[in-house]
Short mmCIF file of all heavy atoms in Angstrom, two decimals:
data_model
loop_
_atom_site.label_atom_id
_atom_site.label_comp_id
_atom_site.label_asym_id
_atom_site.label_seq_id
_atom_site.Cartn_x
_atom_site.Cartn_y
_atom_site.Cartn_z
N VAL B 154 56.99 26.96 49.68
CA VAL B 154 57.08 27.90 48.56
C VAL B 154 55.75 27.93 47.81
O VAL B 154 55.02 26.90 47.73
CB VAL B 154 58.23 27.43 47.57
CG1 VAL B 154 58.19 28.31 46.28
CG2 VAL B 154 59.55 27.59 48.30
N ASN B 155 55.40 29.13 47.30
CA ASN B 155 54.13 29.33 46.68
C ASN B 155 54.34 30.18 45.41
O ASN B 155 54.81 31.28 45.43
CB ASN B 155 53.22 30.12 47.65
CG ASN B 155 51.93 30.58 47.06
OD1 ASN B 155 51.52 31.71 47.31
ND2 ASN B 155 51.30 29.75 46.24
N TRP B 156 54.06 29.51 44.23
CA TRP B 156 54.24 30.21 42.95
C TRP B 156 52.90 30.86 42.50
O TRP B 156 51.84 30.23 42.66
CB TRP B 156 54.69 29.24 41.86
CG TRP B 156 56.12 28.94 41.91
CD1 TRP B 156 56.74 27.95 42.63
CD2 TRP B 156 57.21 29.65 41.27
NE1 TRP B 156 58.12 28.00 42.46
CE2 TRP B 156 58.40 29.03 41.61
CE3 TRP B 156 57.24 30.77 40.41
CZ2 TRP B 156 59.63 29.49 41.14
CZ3 TRP B 156 58.46 31.20 39.90
CH2 TRP B 156 59.61 30.55 40.29
N VAL B 157 52.98 32.11 42.05
CA VAL B 157 51.78 32.84 41.65
C VAL B 157 52.05 33.52 40.29
O VAL B 157 53.20 33.69 39.92
CB VAL B 157 51.31 33.87 42.71
CG1 VAL B 157 51.01 33.19 44.04
CG2 VAL B 157 52.34 34.97 42.84
N GLU B 158 50.93 33.92 39.66
CA GLU B 158 51.05 34.68 38.36
C GLU B 158 49.97 35.77 38.34
O GLU B 158 48.79 35.48 38.27
CB GLU B 158 50.80 33.72 37.20
CG GLU B 158 50.73 34.39 35.84
CD GLU B 158 52.08 34.95 35.36
OE1 GLU B 158 53.13 34.64 35.99
OE2 GLU B 158 52.09 35.63 34.35
N PRO B 159 50.34 37.06 38.39
CA PRO B 159 49.37 38.12 38.19
C PRO B 159 48.81 38.04 36.78
O PRO B 159 49.50 37.83 35.81
CB PRO B 159 50.21 39.39 38.42
CG PRO B 159 51.40 38.94 39.16
CD PRO B 159 51.70 37.56 38.68
N ALA B 160 47.44 38.19 36.67
CA ALA B 160 46.85 38.08 35.36
C ALA B 160 45.79 39.12 35.09
O ALA B 160 45.03 38.97 34.10
CB ALA B 160 46.17 36.66 35.29
N ALA B 161 45.71 40.14 35.87
CA ALA B 161 44.67 41.16 35.66
C ALA B 161 44.78 41.77 34.26
O ALA B 161 45.92 42.15 33.83
CB ALA B 161 44.80 42.22 36.74
N GLY B 162 43.66 41.86 33.59
CA GLY B 162 43.61 42.51 32.32
C GLY B 162 44.07 41.66 31.16
O GLY B 162 44.14 42.12 30.01
N ARG B 163 44.41 40.39 31.38
CA ARG B 163 44.90 39.54 30.31
C ARG B 163 43.84 38.49 29.97
O ARG B 163 43.16 37.97 30.83
CB ARG B 163 46.19 38.84 30.75
CG ARG B 163 47.41 39.70 30.68
CD ARG B 163 48.69 38.86 30.75
NE ARG B 163 48.96 38.41 32.09
CZ ARG B 163 49.98 37.56 32.40
NH1 ARG B 163 50.74 37.09 31.45
NH2 ARG B 163 50.17 37.24 33.66
N ASP B 164 43.78 38.16 28.66
CA ASP B 164 42.97 37.04 28.30
C ASP B 164 43.87 35.84 28.09
O ASP B 164 45.15 35.96 28.24
CB ASP B 164 42.17 37.34 26.98
CG ASP B 164 43.06 37.69 25.78
OD1 ASP B 164 44.29 37.50 25.90
OD2 ASP B 164 42.53 38.13 24.76
N PHE B 165 43.29 34.71 27.71
CA PHE B 165 44.13 33.52 27.61
C PHE B 165 45.22 33.67 26.55
O PHE B 165 46.35 33.21 26.75
CB PHE B 165 43.26 32.29 27.33
CG PHE B 165 44.13 31.02 27.09
CD1 PHE B 165 44.67 30.40 28.20
CD2 PHE B 165 44.34 30.58 25.82
CE1 PHE B 165 45.51 29.26 27.99
CE2 PHE B 165 45.18 29.45 25.63
CZ PHE B 165 45.74 28.78 26.72
N ASP B 166 44.86 34.19 25.41
CA ASP B 166 45.85 34.34 24.35
C ASP B 166 47.06 35.11 24.78
O ASP B 166 48.21 34.72 24.44
CB ASP B 166 45.24 34.98 23.10
CG ASP B 166 44.23 34.09 22.38
OD1 ASP B 166 44.28 32.83 22.62
OD2 ASP B 166 43.38 34.62 21.66
N ALA B 167 46.88 36.20 25.52
CA ALA B 167 48.02 37.00 26.01
C ALA B 167 48.82 36.19 27.02
O ALA B 167 50.07 36.23 26.98
CB ALA B 167 47.49 38.30 26.57
N TYR B 168 48.13 35.52 27.90
CA TYR B 168 48.80 34.71 28.93
C TYR B 168 49.64 33.63 28.23
O TYR B 168 50.84 33.42 28.53
CB TYR B 168 47.84 34.11 29.89
CG TYR B 168 48.40 33.04 30.73
CD1 TYR B 168 49.17 33.29 31.85
CD2 TYR B 168 48.20 31.69 30.38
CE1 TYR B 168 49.74 32.28 32.61
CE2 TYR B 168 48.73 30.68 31.16
CZ TYR B 168 49.50 30.96 32.18
OH TYR B 168 50.02 29.92 32.98
N TRP B 169 49.03 32.92 27.30
CA TRP B 169 49.66 31.77 26.66
C TRP B 169 50.87 32.23 25.84
O TRP B 169 51.87 31.48 25.75
CB TRP B 169 48.66 31.04 25.80
CG TRP B 169 49.10 29.66 25.34
CD1 TRP B 169 49.14 29.22 24.08
CD2 TRP B 169 49.51 28.56 26.16
NE1 TRP B 169 49.60 27.92 24.00
CE2 TRP B 169 49.82 27.49 25.31
CE3 TRP B 169 49.66 28.35 27.53
CZ2 TRP B 169 50.25 26.23 25.73
CZ3 TRP B 169 50.09 27.10 27.98
CH2 TRP B 169 50.37 26.09 27.12
N ALA B 170 50.73 33.34 25.17
CA ALA B 170 51.85 33.85 24.33
C ALA B 170 53.10 34.12 25.20
O ALA B 170 54.23 34.11 24.69
CB ALA B 170 51.43 35.10 23.58
N ALA B 171 52.93 34.45 26.50
CA ALA B 171 54.01 34.74 27.37
C ALA B 171 54.67 33.50 27.98
O ALA B 171 55.67 33.63 28.70
CB ALA B 171 53.54 35.70 28.48
N ARG B 172 54.12 32.33 27.74
CA ARG B 172 54.71 31.09 28.30
C ARG B 172 55.91 30.68 27.48
O ARG B 172 56.00 31.04 26.26
CB ARG B 172 53.63 29.96 28.34
CG ARG B 172 52.37 30.35 29.01
CD ARG B 172 52.36 30.24 30.52
NE ARG B 172 53.32 31.04 31.24
CZ ARG B 172 53.16 32.33 31.54
NH1 ARG B 172 52.10 33.03 31.11
NH2 ARG B 172 54.07 33.04 32.27
N PRO B 173 56.78 29.87 28.04
CA PRO B 173 57.98 29.41 27.27
C PRO B 173 57.55 28.66 26.02
O PRO B 173 56.58 27.89 26.02
CB PRO B 173 58.67 28.48 28.26
CG PRO B 173 58.21 28.97 29.63
CD PRO B 173 56.80 29.42 29.44
N SER B 174 58.27 28.83 24.94
CA SER B 174 57.97 28.21 23.66
C SER B 174 57.99 26.72 23.81
O SER B 174 57.19 25.99 23.13
CB SER B 174 58.94 28.66 22.62
OG SER B 174 60.26 28.33 22.90
N GLN B 175 58.86 26.17 24.61
CA GLN B 175 58.87 24.71 24.79
C GLN B 175 57.58 24.18 25.35
O GLN B 175 57.06 23.15 24.93
CB GLN B 175 60.02 24.30 25.72
CG GLN B 175 60.19 22.79 25.87
CD GLN B 175 61.42 22.40 26.70
OE1 GLN B 175 62.18 23.26 27.17
NE2 GLN B 175 61.62 21.13 26.86
N LEU B 176 57.02 24.86 26.33
CA LEU B 176 55.72 24.46 26.88
C LEU B 176 54.63 24.54 25.84
O LEU B 176 53.84 23.64 25.64
CB LEU B 176 55.34 25.37 28.08
CG LEU B 176 53.95 25.14 28.69
CD1 LEU B 176 53.84 23.77 29.23
CD2 LEU B 176 53.62 26.17 29.73
N ARG B 177 54.59 25.66 25.08
CA ARG B 177 53.51 25.80 24.06
C ARG B 177 53.62 24.78 22.97
O ARG B 177 52.64 24.21 22.54
CB ARG B 177 53.59 27.24 23.50
CG ARG B 177 53.18 28.30 24.50
CD ARG B 177 53.12 29.72 23.90
NE ARG B 177 54.44 30.31 23.79
CZ ARG B 177 55.05 30.55 22.67
NH1 ARG B 177 54.46 30.27 21.50
NH2 ARG B 177 56.26 31.12 22.63
N ASN B 178 54.87 24.57 22.51
CA ASN B 178 55.03 23.58 21.42
C ASN B 178 54.70 22.12 21.89
O ASN B 178 54.11 21.37 21.18
CB ASN B 178 56.50 23.62 20.93
CG ASN B 178 56.78 24.92 20.20
OD1 ASN B 178 55.85 25.56 19.70
ND2 ASN B 178 58.04 25.30 20.15
N THR B 179 55.14 21.82 23.15
CA THR B 179 54.85 20.48 23.68
C THR B 179 53.33 20.30 23.83
O THR B 179 52.77 19.27 23.49
CB THR B 179 55.50 20.29 25.04
OG1 THR B 179 56.96 20.40 24.88
CG2 THR B 179 55.16 18.94 25.66
#
Side-chain angles (χ1 to χ4, degrees):
V154 170
N155 172 221
W156 281 90
V157 301
E158 174 72 9
R163 284 195 282 175
D164 61 10
F165 175 76
D166 289 341
Y168 166 80
W169 192 238
R172 307 278 62 78
S174 59
Q175 183 176 1
L176 174 64
R177 291 185 281 113
N178 292 336
T179 299

